[in-house]
């Protein structure tokens, strides 16, 4: 998968963590960027909602092609690979938002309910015939374009958070049945073990031992579910928890390091910078 480019969040409307853009504008913008071909698979470092308002077509997520049409929503999570079809015959919007936006403005309980944010591997990304789209798009574009910036981010976040929760409730009516049943139980057990033990170990061998399977088999399960290795899943979860602590607590960075299983601040800093490109101190200064 190393040939798949990684695309970072880049907005043109003054916000650095959320954007709602018409697809026609997006394609015009991309045409002027020789370094990015949206019709080829690319991995995103943010979350996206592809909302179709007219027409029909296809969109690829994690190498699977989905049929989309008016009132469809395609949920694409951070770390997933997607690609637009050539010459799309549909119109709509792409709502982009970063993980930092989610962690800073969404309630923790909402994050746990909105499965596609961090459990996209067991959540169907496609929502069809949604009656929620028009109202949501009207509200969020109105607020993004508002000249009254007082608590603007908070309002935008709540509009998006409520929309995602309502989508989750709709999805809950028809549970996903196409998920690989062979691996589902083991993967969920692995995920639960990581959440419980990540402060004690980030070693894949330890989790394989707890599951009574080989590391090779564990990697097979995780790759089939997430398109990434078990180590990638563990490290991503640790980074998420570190960010949560930095966002939501008054702990010093040294205390955050110890809370997340690092005995040495130096190792904590190296780990965080390796996976985010920033030191914990630099990341905290951006908040």
């Amino acid at each position: 998968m190393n040939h798949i480019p990684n695309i970072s969040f880049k907005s043109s409307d003054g916000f650095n963590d959320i954007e709602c853009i018409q697809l026609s504008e997006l394609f015009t913008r991309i045409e002027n960027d020789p370094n990015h071909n949206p019709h080829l698979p690319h991995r995103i470092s943010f979350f996206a909602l592809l909302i179709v308002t007219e027409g029909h077509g296809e969109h690829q997520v994690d190498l699977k092609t989905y049929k989309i049409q008016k009132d469809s929503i395609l949920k694409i999570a951070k770390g997933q690979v997607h690609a637009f079809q050539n010459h799309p015959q549909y119109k709509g919007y792409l709502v982009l938002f970063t993980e930092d936006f989610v962690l800073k403005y969404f309630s923790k309980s909402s994050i746990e309910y909105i499965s596609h944010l961090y459990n996209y591997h067991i959540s169907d990304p496609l929502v069809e015939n949604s009656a929620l789209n028009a109202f949501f798009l009207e509200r969020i574009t109105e607020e993004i374009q508002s000249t009254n910036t007082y608590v603007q981010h908070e309002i935008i976040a709540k509009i998006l958070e409520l929309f995602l929760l309502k989508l989750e409730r709709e999805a809950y009516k028809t549970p996903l049945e196409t998920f690989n049943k062979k691996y589902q139980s083991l993967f969920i057990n692995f995920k639960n073990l990581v959440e419980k033990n990540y402060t004690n170990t980030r070693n894949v061998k330890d989790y394989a031992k707890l599951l009574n399977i080989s590391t090779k088999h564990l990697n097979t399960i995780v790759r089939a579910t997430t398109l990434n290795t078990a180590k990638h899943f563990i490290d991503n979860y640790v980074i998420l928890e570190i960010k949560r602590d930095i966002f939501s607590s008054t702990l010093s960075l040294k205390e955050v390091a110890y809370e997340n299983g690092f005995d040495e601040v130096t190792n904590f800093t190296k780990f965080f910078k390796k996976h985010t490109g920033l030191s914990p101190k630099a990341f905290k200064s951006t908040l």
Side-chain angles (χ1 to χ4, degrees), residues 152-251:
Q152 187 176 30
H153 262 75
E154 286 78 4
I155 293 172
I156 291 169
K158 293 310 172 189
I159 293 170
L160 177 59
E161 186 176 346
L162 180 60
F163 178 63
L164 292 173
L165 284 171
K166 285 190 172 184
L167 287 180
E168 198 68 29
R169 184 166 64 182
E170 289 299 309
Y172 188 76
K173 292 178 183 177
T174 53
L176 180 63
E177 296 179 356
T178 58
F179 183 74
N180 190 326
K181 299 296 183 182
K182 179 180 178 183
Y183 294 148
Q184 182 175 15
S185 179
L186 276 172
F187 177 79
I188 291 174
N189 287 343
F190 165 67
K191 175 179 174 292
N192 290 340
L193 284 171
V194 172
E195 292 174 356
K196 182 179 179 181
N197 298 291
Y198 75 95
T199 59
N200 299 319
T201 179
R202 299 188 300 276
N203 193 315
V204 176
K205 288 183 179 179
D206 292 335
Y207 291 101
K209 185 176 181 180
L210 287 169
L211 291 166
N212 292 315
I213 59 176
S214 69
T215 55
K216 182 179 179 180
H217 188 41
L218 177 56
N219 270 311
T220 298
I221 292 167
V222 178
R223 279 189 182 280
T225 313
T226 71
L227 295 186
N228 274 303
T229 64
K231 180 61 175 172
H232 183 274
F233 183 92
I234 296 166
D235 289 347
N236 267 13
Y237 184 79
V238 175
I239 290 294
L240 172 63
E241 288 301 310
I242 291 170
K243 285 185 172 183
R244 282 176 171 165
D245 281 345
I246 293 174
F247 269 124
S248 61
S249 74
T250 56
L251 296 176

Side-chain angles (χ1 to χ4, degrees), residues 36-248:
H36 175 40
N37 183 347
H39 307 298
L40 296 178
H42 53 282
R43 190 185 303 276
I44 59 174
S45 63
F46 45 88
F47 300 99
L49 298 174
L50 174 60
I51 303 176
V52 181
T53 56
E54 293 181 40
H56 58 87
E58 298 178 342
H59 196 86
Q60 190 184 90
V61 180
D62 282 345
L63 311 182
K64 180 179 177 181
T65 299
Y66 294 88
K67 300 286 186 181
I68 52 177
Q69 58 187 344
K70 181 181 178 181
D71 296 330
S72 292
I73 305 168
L74 205 53
K75 303 174 292 184
I76 310 166
K78 175 193 172 193
Q80 288 195 285
V81 175
H82 79 121
F84 289 91
Q85 71 180 99
N86 290 309
H87 312 296
Q89 301 299 308
Y90 58 87
K91 296 180 180 180
Y93 289 80
L94 196 64
V95 181
L96 314 172
F97 52 102
T98 66
E99 180 178 62
D100 292 350
F101 182 83
V102 170
L103 295 177
K104 188 172 184 179
Y105 295 108
F106 282 26
S107 70
K108 187 172 182 179
S109 61
S110 290
I111 293 173
E112 291 173 354
Y113 275 114
I114 302 169
S115 63
H116 93 272
L117 292 177
Y118 297 110
N119 294 322
Y120 60 83
H121 26 261
I122 55 174
S123 173
D124 194 334
L126 179 63
V127 178
E128 298 181 281
N129 303 315
S130 171
L132 306 169
N133 298 1
F135 182 80
F136 164 71
L137 289 170
E138 183 179 351
R139 295 282 80 78
I140 198 166
T141 53
E142 176 184 64
E143 188 57 42
I144 286 175
Q145 294 167 7
S146 174
T147 56
N148 185 346
T149 58
Y150 182 69
V151 297
Q152 187 176 30
H153 262 75
E154 286 78 4
I155 293 172
I156 291 169
K158 293 310 172 189
I159 293 170
L160 177 59
E161 186 176 346
L162 180 60
F163 178 63
L164 292 173
L165 284 171
K166 285 190 172 184
L167 287 180
E168 198 68 29
R169 184 166 64 182
E170 289 299 309
Y172 188 76
K173 292 178 183 177
T174 53
L176 180 63
E177 296 179 356
T178 58
F179 183 74
N180 190 326
K181 299 296 183 182
K182 179 180 178 183
Y183 294 148
Q184 182 175 15
S185 179
L186 276 172
F187 177 79
I188 291 174
N189 287 343
F190 165 67
K191 175 179 174 292
N192 290 340
L193 284 171
V194 172
E195 292 174 356
K196 182 179 179 181
N197 298 291
Y198 75 95
T199 59
N200 299 319
T201 179
R202 299 188 300 276
N203 193 315
V204 176
K205 288 183 179 179
D206 292 335
Y207 291 101
K209 185 176 181 180
L210 287 169
L211 291 166
N212 292 315
I213 59 176
S214 69
T215 55
K216 182 179 179 180
H217 188 41
L218 177 56
N219 270 311
T220 298
I221 292 167
V222 178
R223 279 189 182 280
T225 313
T226 71
L227 295 186
N228 274 303
T229 64
K231 180 61 175 172
H232 183 274
F233 183 92
I234 296 166
D235 289 347
N236 267 13
Y237 184 79
V238 175
I239 290 294
L240 172 63
E241 288 301 310
I242 291 170
K243 285 185 172 183
R244 282 176 171 165
D245 281 345
I246 293 174
F247 269 124
S248 61

